Amino acid sequence: MTDNPLFEVDFEPVGRRVEVPPGADLLDAARQAGIGLASVCGGEGTCGRCRVVMMSGKVSEPVDADRRFLSQLEINAGHRLACRVRVHSDVKVHVPKASLVTDQRLQIGGLARALTVESAIKACVVEAEPPTLRDLRSDLERVTDAVESAYGLRHVTAEPAVIRQLSPTAREHKWSLTAFLHAREIVGFAAPTRRPVGFAVDLGTTKIAGFLVDLETGADLASGGLMNPQISYGEDVISRLVYAGRGPTAAAEIREVVIEGLNNLIASLCEQAGVDKLEVAEACIVGNTAMHHLLLGLPTRQLSVAPFVAASNAAVDVRARDLGLDIAPGAYVHVPPCVGGFVGADHVAMILACDLDKGDRVAVGVDIGTNTEIALCKPGLAYLTSASCASGPAFEGAHIKDGMRAASGAIEAVRITADGPQIKTIGDAPAVGICGSGIIDAVAALHGAGLLNHRGRLVPGGPGLRPGPKGLEYPLALAPQTGIDRDVVITQGDINEIQLAKGAIQTGLEILLESTGTPPEAVDELIVAGAFGSFLNLDSALDIGLLPRLPRAKYSQVGNAAGVGAKALLLSLKERTRAQKIARRTSYIELTTFPGFQRRFALSMWFPTGDRRVREDA
Ligand code: FES
């Protein structure tokens, strides 16, 4: 050990190896190896999601957290929580598929929207005179003179980083090139035939969706998504803010991982679209207030504790290179305004994409995620009203015994028939867990089959129910049919988690309707946005009371509306002005201070009985 102070950690079956100092924990080693190990609690030992199996080597003894989540049999077989394991020799570790957060089905698209393109970037075709002994103007002067005379501009400038690109590019293209102009500043150069490209991003707590668009025509060039790599620092925003609050090094670390993710996304989208990343002349990034602060490196401590105050809600244009984004050397990133609390620019983008600010109908937009944001508009109301519900990551499969995200092998749909459960998995792969839409389906099916009462208790003696280590459970798939050599089950504890999540959203919706004097039947349109919302079985959501029982024709599932809004904000200065107005005109209700919140929330956790809402018959 003295000869070699580092130990090798070999992660199988992915085959990644890293070297770590003695005593390092396995979760950190996995992060270092770039392995997306699930870690809902950010490594606090409280979520039980970072399970691994020790194959060889010496590590620390199991601790209480291991015993809380693992049976003695599992511990004897080498199962451990990665965040609780300290490495004391070279080790080999098996990472079960269900512990990985990669390979997720990422819904990134959304409703199409007509838009007049009016971007902040103007492409100027430059035909400059090459230098001669009689014309000794500098490269920059030569190009700015050409731009000014061709486009009737004055005082065109460029930063040194852009000038560094100019000299070789101009000579390569014989002084015929395209300059990308942002107001009167050149932010980049490209070959004469090239057009400016923009990068729009919906920076979600769990997922990142990115879009490359043509800044002149608005055409989509490429799109893609990835898991937010900050997940390994905690799945909810508070865990990440707390991590960032440990000090400047931690804040920089959590910022850098997301920048690295964005740079990887840019590189892959540019490859898909056949464009050079230096042709990406502007970006627009929307996210909730926490994502916004972590991205911009703003102070986060005041945002992580009540009353959850932002350091700034204002829209800002920052240099991409100051953030570490690898695009045109002088390019800016437009970050639209946030509303308040955790209601951020992604919510503004969703309102904009769904035209909720037009006030031409009574409409409610619900963007379901780890935090669920709801907005309500109605004719005659000067303000839009919004609220944010801490719905938690249960719909992402977190805090659910066999929960997982929507990846291959996740149970996504469930029916219960006289012959028992019928399931559908993503990719028709053997079941390895259950994702959000499957959990809601399972809860609705159990309730519909009379196996679950309206208070959310599994009914003892019900067909198919059996005792589990922590109360009753219902097997959805038995070991021989699963990909994990054990049954996939839904437990009483899982149902309680879903009750908390659905109760939070139902309460938020009810308070928003009531505080604006809007009876549910007056709602003309209820828009369900967000990746999870687009896979949600509406019938099941209505059956468990997650969403109000309105005629189905009033519902629309629009996918990633925040991403669509981000693209609109990238492509149109008018839409940016509109976003400013939306942020100013949106009043934000702090749900927890609403009279009777606790009682409402408690009642909202119950399930509807018959056609009536529980609250009405309670
Ligand atoms: S228990 Fe290990 S990350 Fe949560």
Side-chain angles (χ1 to χ4, degrees):
M1 190 179 118
T2 42
D3 293 334
N4 178 12
L6 296 178
F7 294 133
E8 185 180 85
V9 182
D10 176 354
F11 290 99
E12 296 297 335
V14 272
R16 297 249 178 90
R17 291 181 184 81
V18 284
E19 290 193 324
V20 298
D25 77 55
L26 272 186
L27 180 61
D28 273 343
R31 284 174 181 154
Q32 202 182 313
I35 292 171
L37 196 56
S39 57
V40 177
C41 67
E44 297 296 320
T46 55
C47 71
R49 296 308 313 280
C50 60
R51 284 166 175 239
V52 293
V53 187
M54 301 310 305
M55 297 165 76
S56 64
K58 262 181 28 198
V59 294
S60 54
E61 290 298 311
V63 294
D64 286 351
D66 293 289
R67 291 190 194 91
R68 219 169 23 250
F69 293 103
L70 302 167
S71 68
Q72 192 54 48
L73 267 179
E74 286 175 318
I75 290 176
N76 294 347
H79 291 244
R80 301 291 297 277
L81 299 182
C83 68
R84 301 292 98 180
V85 173
R86 310 269 164 232
V87 175
H88 294 320
S89 74
D90 290 347
V91 293
K92 192 180 261 196
V93 187
H94 174 79
V95 183
K97 210 171 167 189
S99 297
L100 287 170
V101 295
T102 50
D103 193 26
Q104 187 186 354
R105 177 172 66 183
L106 293 159
Q107 162 75 27
I108 53 166
L111 67 176
R113 243 180 129 250
L115 185 79
T116 309
V117 177
E118 190 205 343
S119 92
I121 300 295
K122 184 179 177 61
C124 300
V125 179
V126 180
E127 297 290 345
E129 292 296 323
T132 64
L133 284 175
R134 278 201 296 275
D135 178 1
L136 294 173
R137 285 175 301 162
S138 71
D139 291 352
L140 179 63
E141 228 180 326
R142 194 169 300 281
V143 166
T144 52
D145 285 352
V147 169
E148 287 172 6
S149 71
Y151 292 89
L153 300 168
R154 296 182 66 196
H155 308 305
V156 170
T157 60
E159 282 213 317
V162 180
I163 301 166
R164 280 196 285 276
Q165 186 197 13
L166 165 63
S167 298
T169 311
R171 284 169 180 82
E172 185 188 343
H173 298 290
K174 303 195 171 20
W175 294 95
S176 166
L177 60 165
T178 302
F180 301 138
L181 214 62
H182 182 280
R184 279 186 310 208
E185 182 185 355
I186 298 173
V187 296
F189 291 100
T193 51
R194 304 304 291 175
R195 301 213 300 221
V197 170
F199 178 50
V201 182
D202 171 24
L203 176 54
T205 310
T206 304
K207 291 162 235 163
I208 301 176
F211 310 87
L212 269 197
V213 293
D214 184 315
L215 286 177
E216 289 189 336
T217 65
D220 287 326
L221 302 176
S223 62
L226 78 163
M227 300 298 296
N228 186 331
Q230 290 175 333
I231 277 174
S232 54
Y233 297 87
E235 293 212 2
D236 60 276
V237 290
I238 296 290
S239 311
R240 290 187 213 169
L241 293 175
V242 167
Y243 187 87
R246 288 184 189 177
T249 312
E253 188 188 336
I254 197 164
R255 203 176 76 77
E256 276 159 18
V257 294
V258 85
I259 295 295
E260 192 185 328
L262 289 171
N263 277 332
N264 290 339
L265 187 56
I266 292 166
S268 100
L269 296 186
C270 284
E271 196 180 325
Q272 258 183 60
V275 302
D276 192 306
K277 63 190 178 191
L278 297 180
E279 292 166 11
V280 180
E282 201 184 20
C284 173
I285 302 180
V286 303
N288 64 42
T289 318
M291 294 303 102
H292 166 276
H293 278 45
L294 292 173
L295 176 77
L296 295 177
L298 298 179
T300 52
R301 194 160 290 176
Q302 79 297 332
L303 188 59
S304 62
V305 292
F308 311 109
V309 177
S312 167
N313 284 324
V316 63
D317 290 274
V318 287
R319 291 267 183 211
R321 67 163 190 276
D322 289 346
L323 292 183
L325 281 188
D326 201 3
I327 54 177
Y332 287 89
V333 178
H334 178 69
V335 183
C338 297
V339 173
F342 289 108
V343 180
D346 53 347
H347 187 63
V348 171
M350 187 275 274
I351 290 173
L352 185 134
C354 297
D355 288 334
L356 287 175
D357 56 325
K358 300 227 159 129
D360 52 354
R361 75 258 196 237
V362 181
V364 177
V366 188
D367 196 348
I368 302 179
T370 308
N371 266 335
T372 294
E373 276 91 33
I374 311 173
L376 181 143
C377 71
K378 63 196 284 194
L381 207 66
Y383 285 87
L384 282 139
T385 315
S386 289
S388 175
C389 323
S391 41
F395 296 144
E396 301 283 354
H399 302 177
I400 302 293
K401 179 175 181 298
D402 286 331
M404 63 183 286
R405 294 206 178 82
S408 175
I411 297 174
E412 60 170 339
V414 177
R415 275 174 12 131
I416 295 179
T417 68
D419 299 328
Q422 288 186 351
I423 59 165
K424 157 131 193 24
T425 59
I426 296 176
D428 293 322
V432 293
I434 177 162
C435 66
S437 58
I439 296 164
I440 289 187
D441 251 18
V443 172
L446 287 166
H447 185 43
L451 299 172
L452 182 66
N453 71 21
H454 76 279
R455 288 178 185 251
R457 306 300 303 169
L458 288 166
V459 180
L465 291 173
R466 69 185 190 193
K470 293 183 181 164
L472 287 176
E473 62 182 29
Y474 186 82
L476 294 169
L478 297 175
Q481 285 85 47
T482 69
I484 50 173
D485 295 331
R486 62 176 177 82
D487 300 348
V488 175
V489 302
I490 181 156
T491 69
Q492 180 63 64
D494 299 341
I495 292 162
N496 299 347
E497 290 292 338
I498 292 299
Q499 285 182 282
L500 286 169
K502 87 106 182 167
I505 295 174
Q506 187 178 325
T507 311
L509 271 162
E510 286 180 2
I511 291 179
L512 210 56
L513 290 171
E514 190 177 315
S515 62
T516 53
T518 314
E521 58 278 10
V523 173
D524 298 313
E525 187 181 9
L526 205 149
I527 302 164
V528 183
F532 170 69
S534 54
F535 292 110
L536 179 68
N537 177 338
L538 266 186
D539 287 329
S540 296
L542 265 53
D543 285 347
I544 67 166
L546 170 65
L547 296 170
R549 195 165 275 290
L550 300 175
R552 285 289 302 270
K554 290 191 173 185
Y555 275 97
S556 47
Q557 289 169 283
V558 298
N560 185 0
V564 173
K567 270 199 279 184
L569 290 163
L570 176 66
L571 287 169
S572 164
L573 293 172
K574 253 193 206 129
E575 297 290 288
R576 291 185 193 178
T577 310
R578 201 176 140 206
Q580 298 275 11
K581 276 196 200 135
I582 291 173
R584 270 200 310 273
R585 280 187 53 216
T586 302
S587 71
Y588 165 68
I589 297 181
E590 178 51 58
L591 295 173
T592 51
T593 59
F594 197 82
F597 170 80
Q598 284 304 343
R599 182 170 181 277
R600 278 167 186 275
F601 180 48
L603 290 172
S604 292
M605 288 199 286
W606 293 6
F607 298 116
T609 51
D611 276 345
R612 290 174 302 158
R613 303 290 293 271
V614 168
R615 197 165 64 80
E616 290 160 355
D617 70 17

